Amino acid sequence: MGQTNEQKLYIRGGRQLNGEILVDGAKNSALVCMVAACLVNDGSEVRLYNIPRLTDIDIMIEILRKIGKTIEINEEYIGISGCIADCDVPIKLASKIRGSIYLMGLLLGIVGKVKCGLPGGDKIGPRPIDMHLSAFEMLGAKCEMMDGRVEGVVIKELVGRHIYLKYPSVGTVCNIMLIAANAKGKTIIDNAAKEPEIVDLANMMIKIGIKVTGAGTDRIVIEGKGNIRGNVDYEIIPDRIETGVFLASVAMTGGEILIKNAITRHNFPLLAILEECGTTIESNGEGIYLRSNGILKPVNVNIMPFPGVATDLQPIITTLATKCIGESVVIDYVFPERFQYIYELNCMGARIERYSNILKINGGKKMYGAEVKGNDIRSATALVCAGLIAEGETIVSGVEHLLRGYVNLENKLISLGADIVKR
């Protein structure tokens, strides 16, 4: 899915968006559930439905095949079967995606040892793995970082422990759940992250025979050494970040949208902000409906772990704030360095000031098309959204990042009425 020549998006702004769409499966949930499917290590198959076909997913498939798993791919599902035969995840593969970190918990639990390159992903500030390694050691593994990778081994056996996290890290909770599936006794995680993707992982693990309780609360309990079995089907939740992009885009440009498969409780933090801005929102079993006249009121937003507003939506919310008449404030408590896109927005006419992890946006000013570049998935998305409300033509490069986060984002926007050409 890679590209040999850099492509750009050419966007002519000022068009109202209207229509209905379906969002794809959640990438962050899909990646960890693919790893969790490998807990079934008797050759039987786990079929995962609603997996988005993204470059990050393709890399994870390559990693799982490298460790010995058999992957079947078709239009409906990805089937994962076979047995683990290798505990070495090469640096070249691991460094391409953040999700490679989950192989550490999986392989320590099943094989008792691991060699895994340090994870990659977007450059959005420090994302240390010390909490992961500390949790592994509490359960009975010894881990060291050397030469760009982690080497770990189980000393005697894995035994469940009571673990208190100093920060509710989604990745750390997922990794503890994966390794705890093969630990003796109960593992209790306190101050656990509550994100929907963690609940999805827990539900998937329950489906294959692992007892997990408390997902979605600040205490999760995993009972290891369950009757892990394959030949099961599981469907990944819809992507709340992609849902947020379309809701915010329609709010900015005016018009109305029905996201037919969106889950309200997963998107409630953003929905509250959009209602505060002045949009009309209705939600039911059919999905989420939003109507906007494009005239928006300013907001104050704290970016925090769920049930706060997701950090992945921070650049999109900041772009939304450029359309809000008056001063908005966005504070990011999760990734306070995730502001690489601000210079580009200001080049388009936005008035954004940064004070450490605080942004002050003087919104309601006219935006103008410019040539801009996104440096990660979400900054590229924010610049596309800015192009939708700017006067004239906006040229967005860094399009390759969008392939990691969305399936056909530009085509979905075009179906709603956006004027976008890729070339």
Side-chain angles (χ1 to χ4, degrees), residues 91-148:
I91 293 174
K92 185 177 180 180
L93 286 176
S95 63
K96 291 181 178 180
I97 57 172
R98 182 68 182 176
S100 61
I101 198 169
Y102 300 131
L103 275 295
M104 297 180 193
L106 172 78
L107 293 171
L108 284 170
I110 292 179
V111 184
K113 57 183 178 179
V114 66
K115 294 180 181 179
C116 184
L118 293 175
D122 284 338
K123 304 296 186 271
I124 54 176
R127 294 197 280 183
I129 65 170
D130 58 304
M131 289 174 62
H132 298 252
L133 303 186
S134 175
F136 295 157
E137 293 191 359
M138 288 183 70
L139 294 174
K142 181 180 180 181
C143 301
E144 294 182 349
M145 282 195 291
M146 57 180 68
D147 300 324

Side-chain angles (χ1 to χ4, degrees), residues 162-168 173 188-193 218-220:
H162 191 158
I163 300 173
Y164 176 82
L165 298 180
K166 60 185 179 182
Y167 180 83
V173 169
I188 300 172
I189 309 171
D190 267 330
N191 196 30
D218 57 9
R219 170 173 282 195
I220 300 175

Side-chain angles (χ1 to χ4, degrees), residues 238-400:
D239 196 319
R240 63 192 172 106
I241 307 304
E242 184 184 0
T243 299
V245 171
F246 289 112
L247 291 172
S249 296
V250 174
M252 287 182 233
T253 62
E256 56 187 339
I257 186 172
L258 173 63
I259 305 179
K260 293 168 38 171
N261 61 336
I263 299 174
T264 301
R265 67 180 179 276
H266 294 175
N267 295 279
F268 184 76
L270 177 64
L271 295 178
I273 290 168
L274 293 174
E275 284 192 312
E276 186 180 346
C277 283
T279 67
T280 299
I281 293 171
E282 299 173 11
S283 58
N284 51 42
E286 191 179 2
I288 298 175
Y289 167 84
L290 178 143
R291 184 174 70 253
S292 170
N293 61 10
I295 301 173
L296 305 175
K297 295 180 288 188
V299 290
N300 292 335
V301 181
N302 290 332
I303 304 297
M304 300 178 70
F306 194 85
V309 179
T311 184
D312 281 346
L313 289 174
Q314 180 250 99
I316 290 86
I317 290 172
T318 300
T319 306
L320 173 78
T322 67
K323 184 77 177 194
C324 298
I325 301 171
E327 184 178 85
S328 295
V329 178
V330 176
I331 306 176
D332 195 333
Y333 292 100
V334 180
F335 288 117
E337 296 182 25
R338 192 176 202 162
F339 296 128
Q340 298 167 324
Y341 62 94
I342 295 172
Y343 173 78
E344 307 286 75
L345 288 182
N346 282 341
C347 286
M348 296 176 68
R351 299 184 183 181
I352 305 172
E353 297 178 355
R354 177 186 174 186
Y355 306 90
S356 185
N357 67 328
I358 302 171
L359 300 182
K360 290 187 177 180
I361 306 102
N362 185 5
K365 312 301 179 184
K366 186 171 284 191
M367 301 272 282
Y368 299 92
E371 188 158 357
V372 291
K373 182 174 183 177
N375 293 312
D376 59 64
I377 299 171
R378 310 309 171 184
S379 67
T381 308
L383 297 176
V384 170
C385 290
L388 296 174
I389 58 174
E391 185 176 292
E393 184 177 68
T394 300
I395 303 172
V396 181
S397 58
V399 173
E400 68 278 3

